[in-house]
Amino acid sequence: MDDTQEFNPKDLPSYPKHTDFKDLNTKAVERRIDLTPEAYVEDLDKFHPFASRPGWNDDAKARKVNVAINQYRIKVAKLPTIFQYNLDVSPNPDANVVFRKCWENPTLQAHMKQFKTPEGKSGDWLYDGGKILWSRNDIGNQAVKKQIDLRENEGGSRGKPQPLFITITKTKQLNLEAINAYLAGKMGWDNVVMETITFLDQVFRAGPTRVFGFIANKRTLIHPQSSESMPLNALTEAIKGIYSAIRLNSSNITGGQGLGVNVDVANNTYFIGQNMAQLARHLVINLCPNVGPHKPDEFFQFVKPVQDKNGKWGMSAGLKALRRLTNLRFRVTHRGKKDKNGNLIPSPIYRVKGVVFEPKYGQEGASAKKVTFQRKEFNEATQEITTSEMSIYDFYELHYKKRLRLWQLPLIETNKAGYFPMELCEVERFCPYPFKLDGDMTTKMLRFAVQAPKERKMQIEKMVTQLQWGNDRFLKQFGIQMDSTMPRVEARVIPNPGISFGNKIVNPGVSGRWDLRGLKFIEPNPQPLKSWGICVTQDCCDQPTVAAFYKNWSNIFKGHGGRIQNDPIIFRAQGSQYTEVVQNAWHTVGKKFNANPQIIFFILKDKSAWYYERLKRSSDCRYAMPTQMLNLQQVRKGQAQYCSNVCLKVNAKLGGCTAVAVKTQAGQPLKPNSVAPHFDNTPTMFIGADVSHGAAGHLSPSVAAMTVSMDKAATKYAAGAQTNGWRVEIIQPYNMMQMLQPMIKQWRQRNGTFPKRVFYMRDGVSEGQYAHVMQHEFPAMKKAFEAAMASEKAAAPLFTIIIATKRHHIRFFPDSNAADKNGNALPGTLVEREVTHPFQYDFYLCSHVAIKGTARPVHYTVLHDEVKLPPAKLQEMIYHQCYQYVRSTTPVSLHPAVYYAHLVSNRARPHEMGLFTDRVPEDVKHGILRAALGNYAKLQKARKSRQKDSQTSQSDERDKICPKLMPLGREAKPGAKEAFEAGMWFV
């Protein structure tokens, strides 16, 4: 068809009817705003509200201090008359990008300039990128109707007409009183509050993006010229952007509006903008170690298809690597249009759908000479349309006079614009790199990102200056004034605990550190080491070095109270496969001592995660045998600190306990298994839960992990883990039952009673999933307790549900009298005001000492509280238990139950059934990956089949067919599995 042929007016669509404005898209809004948990609840009428704040920490022993916080107050937000409008388009577009093009159309923009504010002035229009508009301009009671042609957006009238009909309708007038009522607790969350918050977010983004030259990426603002950047390699760069997000908060209690803007440094990784062919080459070199030296025009040989043993053509490793180009934004260089003044208009931005691959193209692959299409031409002589087959290569040479140089490379496919040769595509800058960084990239990123508190504070204040709130015409127009001074708020420093070891109580003070020299475990390994060994893998270490290390380590272990009855057998690993190494080691030690091995040390020549995980997998799943991996370099050095750290892990794995946190810093040490003073002799259980997910682009399913404290002082933990579907964050009910019920019974056996109080500490969930925790995980947990306690008809315990998260941008900058030597907040610093929720029960607690950079406090949110400890007591209990982390001589940042759950979810990765491919070395990758892909394909096929036949939910079906982890101790001798689970095998 001829490009310039016009449509018949009869074929044009009619104006769209006005559609009433309904709920905003919460998922789209949360990318830019820190919404409150209620915003995600689908039916507030049926949902039980989250716990309300019962009060404040009033402990006189908790010293009051002042800290600056990087959430800036909105001083005044007296909104004038502001109208909200709907933008409707006919025919109805299938993507927001079409709505945006319609709004930006020159004809429509010119038409909208006629409308004025109630004062008779020309006001700005704000647009959310979808169907919503805001302005002080009043269009009256009649809808605006306008016909447009999208060809105008590209500066001309060539090409096929793109007629659309626009209807703009006034829907309502915004009112800030809804937010004020919500902040005061006088009304619940509803759509009116959401609309107003969304509007305020658009106001704060308008100035930076429309006037000051920033580019917005979710909550991050980047300035192309002034944002600091650093290349990580030829493929990626790190960029310091400005994190900026509006938040509802509790500042209304202390004289503020209850509204603030969280500003922080945002360090993110992006693809370097460059030619697509060049970027593809760097990508393959980075991901495929077998790619040798070559010239750029020889790169195509590494992305050719490969043939399997059956003669079928498949994707090579290099071609698979190119899948990471998906969703990249790019422009083309072979064409460009000019506007009416003759100025060149940049090419439209396209998005990569994928790299073309089809087996039919054979060894050469989907190159520009192989891929063809049916080209239609109008023959003026015969007045007929002729069709001929033409290759992409010939088309570009004929139509654009471009002879492709890198025609052998696979083509880039887009959603609607067809195929493009790589060499004619220029990747836009600021395309996020969403994949896991390798070791070298991580090291460089840390150097780039880590900032001491003083430097970070100065950087944030500089960024606030760059945002130019005082000069922002949009803020002025809509009646908003900002306080550009970082607010100082009242905080408290909770007194640190004493740490009760076997021979004395240590007071670390505010240093957050203690020395193990001269200290004994409060409970050493219950069974002395009788049957154990040290295995040297890959002939990496000689006998004298191992003997010297053992002598040094054993002296330190005994000095800490550890019990050793027999010296270990020292031997070299036998077998070429790591399953054989573990099997032979198990038999060697068992035969030597005529008993089940209690533990085996393995000396590894390097830090290869693959070999480490293979040894752990075989030891755990076959024999339920504790193992301790030793680094060769550390074995050679034999430093006392490293030996002490190994002692902590070994003692915990063998069922011992390092120390217990106590309230007092004086007095006699506690006896083993004493009740921690925080619990008031009430049987108390802590449950930690976390879900880890496979790296982007990998096949690994999600793994749910749960830990349960097993002693009266909550120092020893048992653990369970299981696959949880693919990218599923909420722990599935059957997993909760299978993991938790046996540990509840085990708790009963060890303590002689069931718990009276249960604290459920959940990690890894965002505000959008709080309701899911209450609606799905909490009922499943109660059912697990009911089932475990049914035989004794025991009363159900009281439950308190707490979320712990570090995924936020709040930072503390304390005064000098409340800071450590690096300028960070002291351990125990608590903030309950200004940045917290206006009435829900949450607080920020900094419990650790940051070695480098600015400390990140943990945000604790109490969703449900039946135990009802006073706030001061709950906060002190959480803080003090951070000193009980079994393998550290400092307090940790998270409650140990949560920290252990995180360890377990990652430690259980090697237990996956052949799907773990994240860190597979090249020499064994082909076989493992082939097996994994085969299993995955079968699972996907089964899932689709079951979904058609079943009425159950998609997530449940997906999880039922997800392969389970390998069970522990499949070949274990009697008693071995019980001993293994009695110790903390995961540390």
Side-chain angles (χ1 to χ4, degrees), residues 31-106:
R31 295 172 185 166
R32 306 183 308 270
I33 309 172
D34 281 332
L35 295 173
T36 62
E38 303 101 314
Y40 304 91
V41 179
E42 295 180 0
D43 190 347
L44 284 166
D45 294 332
K46 296 180 180 179
F47 180 72
H48 189 276
F50 298 116
S52 298
R53 189 186 307 280
W56 310 95
N57 188 316
D58 56 1
D59 185 1
K61 296 179 182 178
R63 179 165 61 99
K64 293 183 179 181
V65 297
N66 289 317
V67 299
I69 292 186
N70 60 330
Q71 178 184 270
Y72 292 82
R73 280 190 176 188
I74 297 177
K75 288 198 300 185
V76 178
K78 296 180 179 178
L79 302 185
T81 303
I82 298 169
F83 302 105
Q84 182 170 292
Y85 298 93
N86 258 21
L87 172 68
D88 290 290
V89 179
S90 177
N92 191 35
D94 57 357
N96 276 351
V97 65
V98 181
F99 281 100
R100 180 175 291 279
K101 287 181 178 180
C102 291
W103 172 246
E104 294 173 351
N105 180 267

Side-chain angles (χ1 to χ4, degrees), residues 19-325:
T19 55
D20 290 332
F21 178 77
K22 295 184 179 180
D23 292 347
L24 288 158
N25 185 337
T26 303
K27 288 186 177 179
V29 175
E30 73 168 325
R31 295 172 185 166
R32 306 183 308 270
I33 309 172
D34 281 332
L35 295 173
T36 62
E38 303 101 314
Y40 304 91
V41 179
E42 295 180 0
D43 190 347
L44 284 166
D45 294 332
K46 296 180 180 179
F47 180 72
H48 189 276
F50 298 116
S52 298
R53 189 186 307 280
W56 310 95
N57 188 316
D58 56 1
D59 185 1
K61 296 179 182 178
R63 179 165 61 99
K64 293 183 179 181
V65 297
N66 289 317
V67 299
I69 292 186
N70 60 330
Q71 178 184 270
Y72 292 82
R73 280 190 176 188
I74 297 177
K75 288 198 300 185
V76 178
K78 296 180 179 178
L79 302 185
T81 303
I82 298 169
F83 302 105
Q84 182 170 292
Y85 298 93
N86 258 21
L87 172 68
D88 290 290
V89 179
S90 177
N92 191 35
D94 57 357
N96 276 351
V97 65
V98 181
F99 281 100
R100 180 175 291 279
K101 287 181 178 180
C102 291
W103 172 246
E104 294 173 351
N105 180 267
T107 297
L108 181 61
Q109 286 295 308
H111 184 73
M112 299 304 292
K113 287 181 180 179
Q114 65 178 297
F115 301 108
K116 307 296 181 182
T117 68
E119 297 82 20
K121 298 180 180 179
S122 294
D124 287 299
W125 290 85
L126 298 179
Y127 174 56
D128 76 337
K131 300 181 65 174
I132 311 302
L133 300 167
W134 297 273
S135 180
R136 295 203 62 224
N137 297 327
D138 189 357
I139 68 170
N141 296 325
Q142 297 297 318
V144 172
K145 297 185 178 184
K146 194 70 179 174
Q147 177 185 342
I148 65 170
D149 187 339
L150 289 186
R151 291 180 299 176
E152 297 176 3
N153 292 45
E154 300 177 3
S157 59
R158 296 186 61 189
K160 186 168 64 176
Q162 302 178 53
L164 293 168
F165 282 85
I166 308 299
T167 301
I168 296 176
T169 312
K170 186 193 298 183
T171 56
K172 62 182 64 179
Q173 184 174 324
L174 291 188
N175 189 349
L176 189 63
E177 288 306 312
I179 288 183
N180 294 333
Y182 171 76
L183 293 170
K186 296 178 180 179
M187 67 174 285
W189 182 272
D190 68 4
N191 206 52
V192 177
V193 181
M194 172 78 92
E195 291 165 2
T196 311
I197 284 291
T198 305
F199 161 74
L200 290 173
D201 171 67
Q202 294 294 334
V203 175
F204 276 94
R205 287 178 172 272
T209 56
R210 291 168 60 175
V211 180
F212 305 136
F214 284 89
I215 296 172
N217 178 20
K218 297 181 180 178
R219 304 182 188 186
T220 301
L221 297 169
I222 304 169
H223 199 283
Q225 284 77 44
S226 62
S227 291
E228 184 182 348
S229 64
M230 183 188 75
L232 301 180
N233 52 25
L235 179 71
T236 58
E237 63 179 337
I239 299 178
K240 283 188 191 297
I242 302 176
Y243 176 90
S244 176
I246 191 168
R247 303 178 79 241
L248 297 173
N249 55 60
S250 56
S251 64
N252 59 320
I253 300 172
T254 53
Q257 286 270 330
L259 293 166
V261 179
N262 185 194
V263 180
D264 193 19
V265 182
N267 297 291
N268 295 309
T269 310
Y270 299 87
F271 284 98
I272 294 176
Q274 58 189 299
N275 181 267
M276 183 78 75
Q278 179 176 296
L279 184 142
R281 179 170 175 260
H282 293 316
L283 182 62
V284 172
I285 292 173
N286 188 63
L287 295 180
C288 303
N290 61 331
V291 174
H294 63 277
K295 297 177 181 179
D297 56 0
E298 298 172 344
F299 163 60
F300 70 90
Q301 60 185 312
F302 298 104
V303 292
K304 281 186 173 183
V306 292
Q307 203 169 20
D308 63 16
K309 61 181 181 180
N310 298 320
K312 294 182 179 180
W313 292 101
M315 300 180 77
S316 62
L319 200 52
K320 290 174 182 175
L322 295 186
R323 290 185 294 197
R324 292 198 174 190
L325 300 176

Side-chain angles (χ1 to χ4, degrees), residues 580-837:
E580 297 174 358
V581 169
V582 173
Q583 180 178 337
N584 291 331
W586 186 80
H587 283 295
T588 299
V589 174
K591 185 176 180 181
K592 168 68 177 177
F593 297 102
N594 196 28
N596 284 331
Q598 292 170 284
I599 192 170
I600 296 180
F601 290 16
F602 288 92
I603 301 177
L604 308 181
K605 72 174 184 179
D606 55 34
K607 295 182 180 180
S608 167
W610 164 255
Y611 299 120
Y612 170 93
E613 291 182 349
R614 292 293 286 180
L615 291 173
K616 287 290 187 182
R617 170 191 174 96
S618 189
S619 302
D620 298 345
C621 299
R622 294 182 67 186
Y623 304 111
M625 177 182 68
T627 54
Q628 178 60 50
M629 304 302 166
L630 303 175
N631 179 265
L632 173 60
Q633 300 303 321
Q634 296 294 344
V635 169
R636 287 173 175 168
K637 293 176 184 177
Q639 294 178 340
Q641 184 177 354
Y642 177 75
C643 291
S644 282
N645 290 339
V646 173
C647 290
L648 295 177
K649 295 181 181 182
V650 170
N651 188 54
K653 290 174 182 178
L654 297 176
C657 172
T658 303
V660 176
V662 295
K663 283 187 177 182
T664 58
Q665 282 88 45
Q668 295 298 315
L670 295 179
K671 295 180 180 179
N673 204 27
S674 296
V675 176
H678 306 90
F679 301 157
D680 302 327
N681 292 314
T682 304
T684 303
M685 173 190 287
F686 285 84
I687 302 174
D690 188 23
V691 177
S692 69
H693 307 287
H698 290 281
L699 303 177
S700 298
S702 302
V703 173
M706 301 191 73
T707 58
V708 173
S709 63
M710 283 290 159
D711 61 329
K712 296 177 181 178
T715 58
K716 300 178 183 179
Y717 280 77
Q722 193 52 267
T723 55
N724 200 58
W726 280 276
R727 313 302 297 182
V728 178
E729 180 60 49
I730 298 301
I731 299 175
Q732 299 301 307
Y734 48 86
N735 277 342
M736 180 77 75
M737 182 69 74
Q738 291 173 1
M739 288 190 290
L740 189 55
Q741 188 176 346
M743 290 190 282
I744 297 171
K745 293 179 178 179
Q746 189 178 350
W747 201 95
R748 166 69 177 85
Q749 293 173 356
R750 290 196 186 187
N751 295 280
T753 183
F754 285 107
K756 302 298 182 184
R757 302 187 298 196
V758 174
F759 290 91
Y760 181 58
M761 313 292 291
R762 184 64 161 91
D763 183 26
V765 293
S766 64
E767 283 86 347
Q769 296 162 323
Y770 287 5
H772 295 160
V773 170
M774 293 300 301
Q775 292 169 341
H776 301 291
E777 292 186 0
F778 184 32
M781 181 170 58
K782 290 197 290 187
K783 287 183 179 179
F785 273 89
E786 290 172 3
M789 302 165 72
S791 60
E792 299 186 27
K793 298 181 179 179
L798 300 175
F799 293 95
T800 291
I801 314 297
I802 302 175
I803 305 294
T805 181
K806 297 178 74 175
R807 295 177 182 174
H808 60 79
H809 280 266
I810 297 297
R811 299 292 183 272
F812 299 166
F813 302 98
D815 292 351
S816 57
N817 67 340
D820 63 15
K821 61 181 181 180
N822 296 322
N824 275 308
L826 296 172
T829 300
L830 169 76
V831 172
E832 298 177 281
R833 294 173 171 85
E834 188 75 25
V835 292
T836 52
H837 192 279

